[in-house]
Amino acid sequence: MATTRTAHTEWEGNLLDGKGLVTFDSSGIGEFPVSWPSRAEAANGKTSPEELIAGAHSACFSMALSHGLAGAGTPPTKLETKADVTFQPGTGITGIHLTVVGTVPGLDEAGFVKAAEDAKANCPVSQALTGTTITLSASLA
């Protein structure tokens, strides 16, 4: 069964001086302020589209990697995934770097890296972001 998740943003003003509020409708987890300065400069307590993408990508990748490892008979005890999404004003998103450290009993480093590369290529968020260069660093704890 397909699912649809919904968020919306209310924006006031122009790009440089305006501000917005992103609301996560499906989960009801809250509202998060956004602005151009929080996107192109320091976050200052606000989020950005890139941070939202980073959260989505790190979660999706972790789920895909966990599923792949379990399917291969080596379920992880723990995965810590960080996604760094780089934004260049005037250019856009220039890349995403995933860093994962895993605790996976019974699996060697090479096997973990191979599983992580597969998850990077096949998680739905990676597939949705195919127009962006996605790199990966993977290691066991």
Side-chain angles (χ1 to χ4, degrees), residues 61-76 79 119:
F61 171 86
S62 295
M63 290 176 179
L65 180 54
S66 175
H67 181 68
L69 290 167
T74 53
L79 299 172

Short mmCIF file of all heavy atoms in Angstrom, two decimals, residues 61-76 79 119:
data_model
loop_
_atom_site.label_atom_id
_atom_site.label_comp_id
_atom_site.label_asym_id
_atom_site.label_seq_id
_atom_site.Cartn_x
_atom_site.Cartn_y
_atom_site.Cartn_z
N PHE A 61 18.63 6.20 4.20
CA PHE A 61 19.83 5.39 4.01
C PHE A 61 20.00 4.40 5.16
O PHE A 61 20.29 3.22 4.94
CB PHE A 61 21.06 6.30 3.91
CG PHE A 61 22.36 5.55 3.93
CD1 PHE A 61 22.89 5.04 2.76
CD2 PHE A 61 23.04 5.35 5.12
CE1 PHE A 61 24.09 4.32 2.78
CE2 PHE A 61 24.23 4.64 5.15
CZ PHE A 61 24.76 4.13 3.98
N SER A 62 19.79 4.84 6.40
CA SER A 62 19.93 3.96 7.56
C SER A 62 18.94 2.81 7.49
O SER A 62 19.28 1.65 7.79
CB SER A 62 19.72 4.74 8.86
OG SER A 62 20.74 5.69 9.04
N MET A 63 17.71 3.11 7.09
CA MET A 63 16.70 2.06 6.95
C MET A 63 17.09 1.06 5.87
O MET A 63 16.99 -0.16 6.07
CB MET A 63 15.33 2.67 6.61
CG MET A 63 14.71 3.44 7.73
SD MET A 63 13.17 4.19 7.13
CE MET A 63 12.62 5.01 8.61
N ALA A 64 17.54 1.56 4.72
CA ALA A 64 17.94 0.68 3.62
C ALA A 64 19.13 -0.18 4.01
O ALA A 64 19.17 -1.39 3.71
CB ALA A 64 18.25 1.51 2.37
N LEU A 65 20.11 0.40 4.67
CA LEU A 65 21.30 -0.35 5.09
C LEU A 65 20.92 -1.40 6.13
O LEU A 65 21.35 -2.56 6.03
CB LEU A 65 22.37 0.60 5.62
CG LEU A 65 23.67 -0.04 6.09
CD1 LEU A 65 24.30 -0.93 5.03
CD2 LEU A 65 24.65 1.04 6.54
N SER A 66 20.11 -1.04 7.09
CA SER A 66 19.67 -1.99 8.10
C SER A 66 18.95 -3.17 7.46
O SER A 66 19.20 -4.33 7.80
CB SER A 66 18.75 -1.29 9.11
OG SER A 66 18.24 -2.21 10.04
N HIS A 67 18.07 -2.87 6.51
CA HIS A 67 17.31 -3.91 5.82
C HIS A 67 18.25 -4.83 5.03
O HIS A 67 18.12 -6.06 5.08
CB HIS A 67 16.27 -3.27 4.91
CG HIS A 67 15.42 -4.25 4.18
ND1 HIS A 67 14.52 -5.08 4.82
CD2 HIS A 67 15.36 -4.56 2.86
CE1 HIS A 67 13.92 -5.84 3.92
NE2 HIS A 67 14.42 -5.54 2.72
N GLY A 68 19.19 -4.25 4.31
CA GLY A 68 20.12 -5.05 3.53
C GLY A 68 21.00 -5.93 4.39
O GLY A 68 21.24 -7.10 4.07
N LEU A 69 21.48 -5.38 5.49
CA LEU A 69 22.33 -6.16 6.39
C LEU A 69 21.55 -7.31 7.02
O LEU A 69 22.04 -8.44 7.09
CB LEU A 69 22.93 -5.26 7.47
CG LEU A 69 23.99 -4.27 7.00
CD1 LEU A 69 24.26 -3.22 8.08
CD2 LEU A 69 25.27 -4.99 6.60
N ALA A 70 20.33 -7.03 7.46
CA ALA A 70 19.51 -8.09 8.06
C ALA A 70 19.19 -9.17 7.04
O ALA A 70 19.23 -10.37 7.35
CB ALA A 70 18.22 -7.48 8.63
N GLY A 71 18.90 -8.76 5.80
CA GLY A 71 18.61 -9.73 4.75
C GLY A 71 19.79 -10.62 4.43
O GLY A 71 19.63 -11.75 3.96
N ALA A 72 21.00 -10.13 4.66
CA ALA A 72 22.22 -10.90 4.42
C ALA A 72 22.62 -11.75 5.64
O ALA A 72 23.67 -12.38 5.64
CB ALA A 72 23.36 -9.96 4.04
N GLY A 73 21.80 -11.70 6.69
CA GLY A 73 22.08 -12.49 7.88
C GLY A 73 22.99 -11.83 8.89
O GLY A 73 23.46 -12.48 9.83
N THR A 74 23.27 -10.52 8.72
CA THR A 74 24.12 -9.80 9.66
C THR A 74 23.42 -8.51 10.09
O THR A 74 23.84 -7.41 9.71
CB THR A 74 25.49 -9.47 9.04
OG1 THR A 74 25.27 -8.80 7.79
CG2 THR A 74 26.32 -10.72 8.81
N PRO A 75 22.36 -8.63 10.87
CA PRO A 75 21.64 -7.42 11.28
C PRO A 75 22.52 -6.51 12.13
O PRO A 75 23.31 -6.99 12.95
CB PRO A 75 20.45 -7.96 12.08
CG PRO A 75 20.88 -9.31 12.54
CD PRO A 75 21.81 -9.83 11.48
N PRO A 76 22.40 -5.21 11.93
CA PRO A 76 23.23 -4.29 12.71
C PRO A 76 22.70 -4.13 14.13
O PRO A 76 21.49 -4.21 14.37
CB PRO A 76 23.10 -2.97 11.95
CG PRO A 76 21.73 -3.04 11.34
CD PRO A 76 21.54 -4.49 10.99
N LEU A 79 23.54 1.76 13.81
CA LEU A 79 24.05 2.52 12.67
C LEU A 79 23.95 3.99 13.01
O LEU A 79 22.89 4.45 13.47
CB LEU A 79 23.23 2.25 11.40
CG LEU A 79 23.20 0.82 10.88
CD1 LEU A 79 22.19 0.69 9.75
CD2 LEU A 79 24.60 0.40 10.42
N ALA A 119 23.17 0.37 -0.26
CA ALA A 119 22.11 1.19 0.34
C ALA A 119 22.14 2.60 -0.23
O ALA A 119 21.09 3.19 -0.50
CB ALA A 119 22.27 1.22 1.86
#
